[in-house]
Amino acid sequence: MHEWALAEAVVSTTLKTAEEKGLKEIIELKIKIGELQQIDQEILEFALSQLRSPLLRNAKFSFETVKAELKCRVCDHKWKFSTKNLDEDVSEFIHFVPEIAHTYLKCPKCGSPDFEILTGRGVWLDSIKGVK
Amino acid sequence: MVDPRLNIISERLAKIRKIIAVSSGKGGVGKSMIASTLALALVRRGYKVGLLDLDFSCPSTHVILNIEGLFPKEEKGIIPPEAHGLRYMSIVYYARDEPSPLRGVDISNAIIELFAITQWDSLDFLVIDMPPGIGDATLDMIRFVKGISFLIVTTPSKVAFETVRKLTRLLKDLKVPILGVVENMKMRDSPFIREQVEMLGVPFLGEINFDYRLEDSMGDVQKLLETKFAQGVQEIASKKL
């Protein structure tokens, strides 16, 4: 239930934004989930539903999965992250701390661990819609 | 797009009474030894203590404390396992013995992730073993760990102290609390570091003599606590913290 901690972060950020913008009710939350972190959307949704505060009572949660794209800093090769052929433990380590990818993944072209995570790292709050 | 993790960090640290970053401008001055021994000394005094190894590229406190075969429990986040009476967190749980070549932005992201998901619960002290320098980890601690104080480590070397001077100036300019400076690995009588620290206007916490037998206690906590080095750390902890 590592997703629970991230759900708490989403709710906490939403409530802070609502306060700053004077929103009385949240209507919709758009959440982007990066593939690299391998978040279980069902667990995240469950955690969010359990964490509903009065302000989020009627909020609709929508999710978008973002493909994880990596780019080698040495040879500029770009590739998509895949859990295929990935050791189960390693997959779990990346789930907890996505940057651990640099420990175990290498550029498929030149073998360098010096790559950039272009897209699809973790959980992002894309937009918050509410009424004043 | 907003990164939601930053907003939860203060909540995760809310039940920690004091957060101490053991830091230096330079590597090899004994930060990890002092952080580990300080954490153990505080446990011995009956406090609830956490130790976080924030040196992601070159973690070493697990070697000093001989921490093996542990893994955080997953429960609404991650719960650091207990070792030698303290709650211990390090990147080694996930990186194992493999090298982790991380650039600045990745270090920062990994730090934010760990702070956002680690459930320390209530602690009297969280001791953080910082990586050397005034880079990402230091800036991130200043940015999102409210109430953090820095314990700065130097050796008698002018080279080490020069980097400590810069760290101290940065912290003072940013009004970050400094507990003081410890002079580690002292080999001869010289007032140089004490005088320099006093000139910087920060407390001089004390000096710890170079202990030739310290290396023999690596990985043996009982032996470590019996060293003269540990006595020095305990003295500083009991008088100044």
Side-chain angles (χ1 to χ4, degrees):
Chain A
M1 291 288 273
H2 158 233
E3 281 82 355
W4 189 283
L6 296 169
E8 281 179 334
V10 168
V11 170
S12 169
T13 304
T14 306
L15 296 181
K16 194 181 165 208
T17 308
E19 199 186 325
E20 281 167 7
K21 295 189 174 173
L23 302 177
K24 298 265 182 323
E25 192 186 357
I26 305 294
I27 299 167
E28 189 185 21
L29 277 188
K30 280 190 181 168
I31 297 159
K32 286 194 170 170
I33 303 174
E35 230 183 8
L36 184 63
Q37 197 159 21
Q38 307 150 72
I39 292 294
D40 187 322
Q41 192 180 312
E42 267 184 40
I43 298 178
L44 185 67
E45 279 189 65
F46 172 74
L48 285 168
S49 69
Q50 295 296 302
L51 292 166
R52 271 180 199 269
S53 64
L55 209 69
L56 286 157
R57 200 173 38 240
N58 300 314
K60 181 189 159 210
F61 299 114
S62 66
F63 300 90
E64 184 191 335
T65 304
V66 182
K67 289 266 178 213
E69 191 179 21
L70 314 174
K71 182 187 173 194
C72 179
R73 286 193 175 100
V74 178
C75 73
D76 285 340
H77 178 66
K78 285 184 188 174
W79 76 99
K80 295 268 195 295
F81 168 76
S82 162
T83 50
K84 206 177 153 192
N85 300 326
L86 205 60
D87 180 279
E88 206 178 299
D89 282 347
V90 169
S91 186
E92 192 180 294
F93 297 160
I94 294 172
H95 167 65
F96 284 115
V97 184
E99 283 63 41
I100 284 297
H102 293 275
T103 308
Y104 300 101
L105 304 185
K106 306 275 183 280
C107 167
K109 199 174 163 197
C110 74
S112 171
D114 185 11
F115 57 83
E116 198 179 339
I117 302 164
L118 292 178
T119 55
R121 185 209 165 272
V123 174
W124 291 84
L125 197 45
D126 191 30
S127 68
I128 300 169
K129 271 189 201 161
V131 284
K132 287 194 176 180
Chain B
M1 281 215 295
V2 182
D3 183 347
R5 299 171 302 165
L6 294 168
N7 276 312
I8 202 75
I9 292 175
S10 54
E11 241 172 87
R12 297 278 180 255
L13 304 174
K15 291 188 206 160
I16 303 175
R17 200 164 57 81
K18 200 164 180 62
I19 302 176
I20 301 172
V22 179
S23 184
S24 180
K26 207 147 185 67
V29 297
K31 287 184 303 300
S32 302
M33 284 303 300
I34 288 182
S36 306
T37 312
L38 175 63
L40 290 172
L42 292 168
V43 168
R44 293 287 160 110
R45 284 168 59 196
Y47 292 116
K48 277 167 85 177
V49 183
L51 174 63
L52 168 63
D53 194 329
L54 214 58
D55 194 343
F56 289 169
S57 299
C58 302
S60 59
T61 51
H62 64 293
V63 179
I64 296 165
L65 300 173
N66 190 23
I67 291 171
E68 270 182 60
L70 295 176
F71 198 74
K73 197 173 145 197
E74 193 180 358
E75 199 181 301
K76 295 187 175 178
I78 51 173
I79 300 174
E82 209 166 292
H84 312 298
L86 52 90
R87 284 175 220 166
Y88 181 75
M89 192 65 204
S90 167
I91 199 85
V92 293
Y93 294 132
Y94 310 108
R96 298 189 285 210
D97 287 332
E98 302 296 322
S100 295
L102 297 176
R103 285 181 181 266
V105 61
D106 301 314
I107 290 174
S108 208
N109 249 326
I111 289 174
I112 292 169
E113 193 73 31
L114 273 192
F115 272 85
I117 63 173
T118 305
Q119 304 276 13
W120 290 102
D121 202 15
S122 61
L123 290 177
D124 294 306
F125 291 94
L126 174 62
V127 179
I128 304 176
D129 180 27
M130 297 290 292
I134 49 177
D136 297 85
T138 303
L139 294 172
D140 278 337
M141 289 305 98
I142 296 169
R143 179 162 66 123
F144 57 65
V145 181
K146 305 296 169 223
I148 195 168
S149 9
F150 279 71
L151 187 155
I152 301 173
V153 183
T154 185
T155 66
S157 159
K158 284 179 184 166
V159 179
F161 189 74
E162 203 43 46
T163 68
V164 160
R165 192 194 305 276
K166 290 192 175 81
L167 170 63
T168 308
R169 273 199 49 197
L170 174 80
L171 296 174
K172 282 190 81 173
D173 286 351
L174 297 174
K175 298 186 171 46
V176 179
I178 301 172
L179 289 171
V181 177
V182 174
E183 184 182 6
N184 191 25
M185 302 185 199
K186 193 154 174 105
M187 284 188 276
R188 65 184 175 91
D189 258 355
S190 163
F192 175 73
I193 298 292
R194 180 188 288 269
E195 286 169 3
Q196 292 294 314
V197 170
E198 281 165 3
M199 275 164 65
L200 286 174
V202 294
F204 181 75
L205 295 179
E207 46 199 40
I208 301 171
N209 288 331
F210 188 87
D211 185 344
Y212 290 92
R213 296 181 60 197
L214 187 57
E215 188 60 30
D216 298 336
S217 69
M218 224 46 71
D220 186 335
V221 164
Q222 194 49 44
K223 221 170 167 183
L224 170 64
L225 286 169
E226 287 163 6
T227 60
K228 285 189 176 155
F229 167 82
Q231 283 169 22
V233 173
Q234 281 168 16
E235 228 167 83
I236 289 167
S238 59
K239 279 187 197 157
K240 315 280 183 176
L241 300 182

